Amino acid sequence: MSEVRKREMRREAAALLLLILLLTAAGLAVGVGSAYFSDQDARSNRIKPGDSNLEITEEFHPPDELKPGEIIAKSVQITNKGKSSCFVRCRLLLDDEGILPYLNLGLDTENWVKAEDGYYYYKRALEIGEITTELLKQIEVAKDAPEELLKRGFSLNVYAESYQQGQFLKEAWQEAWKHFEKNQKAWNEEGSV
């Protein structure tokens, strides 16, 4: 091989090497610029279900026989046995609605509110381990109660529900239960929240 041809090959090799270096530098510049103008992030949020657990406490000593004008002591309170503060609502369910006009329920209307949906709402959130005031203290049978109703007797059952306080203020019971109802409605309509 001649000396001239060797020089030409060296120039071509140098030119090829220079071209490869320039392309590599350009590729790095594009990659760095692309990384500079883009961003990516991922987060994993662990969601744990809450723990609502209520205990209904009743103190009730039913009489052997109901009599007109009788006052029967029946105390109903709710205890928050869960692991978070919660709002409470209750229903009082009579097995015989016919006797209702002849009963005067001694209810705590200062701390509990009866709503149109039939529930009694406690007006503030219960802390863990806290007990409500007595929703019901006594039942007074009217003096004009028909004897046939009194002979049948009646059962008054207590049903309670809770909703975690979460982000709601302690006294925001109405807002919390509206939120609960909205979520229940969405769940029932769509199958998801």
Side-chain angles (χ1 to χ4, degrees):
M1 209 186 299
S2 74
E3 195 58 38
V4 174
R5 177 72 185 137
K6 284 183 183 179
R7 270 191 247 151
E8 280 181 22
M9 284 181 66
R10 280 188 198 135
R11 279 190 202 145
E12 287 176 4
L16 183 59
L17 184 60
L18 183 61
L19 181 63
I20 290 172
L21 287 173
L22 285 174
L23 288 175
T24 304
L28 286 174
V30 169
V32 170
S34 174
Y36 180 76
F37 290 114
S38 66
D39 187 24
Q40 185 176 5
D41 191 11
R43 291 191 182 165
S44 176
N45 293 315
R46 183 174 173 92
I47 298 173
K48 290 174 52 180
D51 176 35
S52 291
N53 188 3
L54 297 178
E55 179 179 270
I56 300 170
T57 305
E58 290 184 272
E59 192 172 314
F60 179 54
H61 305 287
D64 294 331
E65 182 182 321
L66 284 175
K67 298 175 187 158
E70 187 167 18
I71 296 175
I72 306 161
K74 180 169 175 86
S75 171
V76 174
Q77 291 180 289
I78 313 298
T79 305
N80 179 3
K81 296 282 191 172
K83 295 180 181 174
S84 61
S85 300
C86 65
F87 294 98
V88 175
R89 68 181 180 180
C90 295
R91 269 206 148 128
L92 299 177
L93 306 167
L94 273 171
D95 68 340
D96 184 356
E97 293 288 326
I99 198 164
L100 185 58
Y102 302 101
L103 299 178
N104 180 14
L105 303 177
L107 299 165
D108 174 359
T109 56
E110 185 178 325
N111 297 295
W112 293 85
V113 174
K114 185 173 185 183
E116 291 178 8
D117 61 5
Y119 281 98
Y120 292 89
Y121 290 84
Y122 198 59
K123 291 176 159 181
R124 62 182 184 79
L126 279 183
E127 298 294 327
I128 300 165
E130 190 177 3
I131 304 170
T132 66
T133 60
E134 292 175 299
L135 167 59
L136 180 65
K137 296 178 183 180
Q138 65 184 25
I139 302 169
E140 183 177 353
V141 180
K143 292 180 181 173
D144 63 343
E147 195 172 316
E148 64 272 5
L149 282 177
L150 296 178
K151 283 183 181 179
R152 286 195 311 229
F154 65 91
S155 291
L156 180 64
N157 297 305
V158 181
Y159 170 77
E161 292 182 345
S162 68
Y163 189 53
Q164 288 186 356
Q165 181 181 351
Q167 79 275 14
F168 298 102
L169 297 175
K170 191 171 182 119
E171 286 77 29
W173 61 273
Q174 290 171 310
E175 184 182 344
W177 284 107
K178 282 179 187 172
H179 184 263
F180 172 81
E181 295 297 336
K182 178 182 158 193
N183 284 340
Q184 288 291 12
K185 184 178 178 186
W187 179 261
N188 290 335
E189 289 176 0
E190 302 169 16
S192 62
V193 188

